[in-house]
Amino acid sequence: MNIAWYADRAAGLIAVVLLTTGVCFGIVLAGRARSIRWPAFAIEEIHRYLGLLTGTFIGIHAVSILLDGYVHYSLSQLFVPGLAPSRTVAVAAGVVAAELLAALAVTNRFRRHLSYSFWRRAHYLNFAVWILALGHGIAAGTDSDTAWAAYLYALCAAAVTAALGWRLLVKRTTPWEAALWPAVAAVVVGELVVALTFGPLGHHG
């Protein structure tokens, strides 16, 4: 049994889920959500911890690829976008996502030494990281043509869509509308991801 191959697949999927969760927590923080059970500092700590976990599983994902006997990648192919021997664009998206995430981790580490406006603008790149990572998983993932993986990616897309919808609407609409429209958008996005995965543009086309 090729343990590295299974570790590669599992770590990649877990990293996408953790990244999605971290992005959702970040959106909640930006929206200044209030909860008696979940004060802002607790949400911020969870957000930070999710970032560390995401980086850890991305590292496991990368090391597993290097150790995988079925797929032969050199260090340059793994860290330089566009050099992958197969699925070049999809792999490049994952490489760029990982490197952007590492750069954002540096800005978080030195946040006190940076202006708030610069840090905040840089933090928006988390959305680019998430989009690239999700696209990488869908286009390059071994399990993307399975139903459970397609629904997992759809759930990730729906979660971020719902959180963004809430963030944009919460201060402009009634609480009921702020909850309803993001939910509708999340369902539509989730169904779109599944359709693209299994439809003419997906693996089964």
Side-chain angles (χ1 to χ4, degrees):
M1 181 174 64
N2 190 341
I3 297 177
W5 183 62
Y6 287 102
D8 164 28
R9 293 162 60 196
L13 287 166
I14 293 172
V16 170
V17 172
L18 288 171
L19 179 61
T20 298
T21 308
V23 169
C24 289
F25 268 90
I27 294 170
V28 169
L29 278 171
R32 294 180 173 84
R34 294 290 182 268
S35 172
I36 297 176
R37 295 184 178 181
W38 294 90
F41 76 87
I43 297 176
E44 188 169 351
E45 281 299 305
I46 294 174
H47 179 55
R48 185 180 66 84
Y49 187 61
L50 285 169
L52 292 174
L53 279 179
T54 301
T56 299
F57 277 95
I58 289 175
I60 295 173
H61 181 56
V63 171
S64 298
I65 291 174
L66 287 175
L67 297 177
D68 191 349
Y70 292 144
V71 182
H72 300 285
Y73 273 77
S74 65
L75 280 174
S76 60
Q77 290 172 335
L78 194 64
F79 290 104
V80 179
L83 296 185
S86 62
R87 299 180 182 180
T88 306
V89 174
V91 174
V95 173
V96 173
E99 293 175 350
L100 271 178
L101 189 64
L104 289 171
V106 173
T107 64
N108 284 334
R109 175 65 179 81
F110 296 100
R111 179 177 176 180
R112 294 181 180 179
H113 304 284
L114 302 171
S115 68
Y116 176 74
S117 60
F118 173 84
W119 176 85
R120 185 176 181 180
R121 284 194 294 268
H123 215 60
Y124 284 129
L125 287 173
N126 276 303
F127 291 110
V129 171
W130 177 77
I131 292 171
L132 288 169
L134 188 66
H136 167 73
I138 293 173
T142 304
D143 300 297
S144 293
D145 57 352
T146 63
W148 66 266
Y151 286 116
L152 177 65
Y153 291 132
L155 181 61
C156 289
V160 173
T161 301
L164 275 175
W166 169 83
R167 175 70 179 90
L168 294 173
L169 296 174
V170 68
K171 294 182 179 180
R172 302 173 186 172
T173 59
T174 65
W176 170 252
E177 291 172 329
L180 177 62
W181 290 110
V184 172
V187 171
V188 173
V189 170
E191 291 182 348
L192 180 61
V193 171
V194 174
L196 289 175
T197 304
F198 288 102
L201 298 179
H203 290 277
H204 292 280

